[in-house]
Amino acid sequence: MVHSEMLVEPVVQELRIPAGIAGPDEVTMDVRCFLVSHPAGLLLIDTGPGSADAIGAALDRVGAGWGDVTDVVLTHSHPDHVSGLADVAARCPGAVVWAGAADCKDITSTVPLRALADGDHVRNLQVVAAPGHTAGHICLLLEDGILFAGDAVFTDAGALKRPPGAFTADPVQAEESLRKLSLLEPDRMLVGHGAEIPDPAGALRRLLEGAPETS
Ligand SMILES: [Zn+2]
């Protein structure tokens, strides 16, 4: 049984990016999925590479099992967020899998994907369309001010940053999405890469005051 106080359980993995992809050297990257409890079970946000075992361990930690996972929501189509989907879907065949409408065609899936638009709800999460990083990138807002920001931003050593330009499909749109997220003034913000930071609303405001990096 899922503990009634459990709202969010991060699933943290370290991913090695070979030299030449995210820079000249090999890079170790923090990749996160999240389990979120709702009245009828658990919802999973993102399915990174080889994440099924780590998600299974997280389910153990919260006293739940794969049968409790009712929904899988993908923030966007990049492989570091979706390539564990087939393994995950096989372990929770009853779960409905969702993604932003414009990203569905870019996600390889063994199960049907249901398309999400801005303002839609999946259980206790509200979809906040935040295109730019990818055309169909979505963020998810939990009722009590917790924002799952996907790759709209990331954190590094306690600082909030924009994703590298090389991985941003439309930088102008990405900047508009950041302004939209800032207006939500989240109490907590959980990102796809990097640890949670304090005062995310203030950090988003400060980030927007700085000029976008043009890397
Ligand atoms: Zn991404």
Side-chain angles (χ1 to χ4, degrees), residues 95-183:
V96 178
V97 184
W98 309 84
D103 272 22
C104 285
K105 66 179 188 318
D106 299 322
I107 298 170
T108 304
S109 178
T110 51
V111 294
L113 293 177
R114 293 206 198 164
L116 291 169
D118 190 49
D120 284 351
H121 280 80
V122 181
R123 307 286 174 173
N124 49 353
L125 292 175
Q126 185 189 330
V127 175
V128 179
H133 183 69
T134 63
H137 183 283
I138 56 171
C139 299
L140 298 152
L141 185 64
L142 192 57
E143 284 152 0
D144 39 5
I146 302 177
L147 179 68
F148 297 89
D151 277 5
V153 279
F154 75 103
T155 68
D156 181 24
L160 193 65
K161 298 187 175 177
R162 293 176 178 85
F167 300 110
T168 303
D170 186 333
V172 174
Q173 214 177 29
E175 200 64 12
E176 281 169 20
S177 291
L178 275 187
R179 278 192 285 275
K180 182 176 173 182
L181 298 184
S182 181
L183 292 175

Side-chain angles (χ1 to χ4, degrees), residues 8-66:
V8 176
E9 179 71 13
V11 182
V12 183
Q13 289 188 281
E14 291 236 312
L15 191 67
R16 284 164 175 271
I17 312 289
I21 293 180
D25 304 317
E26 183 188 84
V27 175
T28 305
M29 198 165 69
D30 170 307
V31 183
R32 295 175 180 234
C33 316
F34 300 94
L35 288 168
V36 181
S37 61
H38 61 77
L42 292 167
L43 181 152
L44 172 65
I45 299 175
D46 283 345
T47 59
S51 59
D53 286 345
I55 293 163
L59 287 166
D60 280 348
R61 286 200 297 276
V62 301
W66 285 104

Side-chain angles (χ1 to χ4, degrees), residues 76 78 80-81 133-134 151 167 193:
H76 65 294
H78 284 167
D80 51 328
H81 298 261
H133 183 69
T134 63
D151 277 5
F167 300 110
H193 305 287

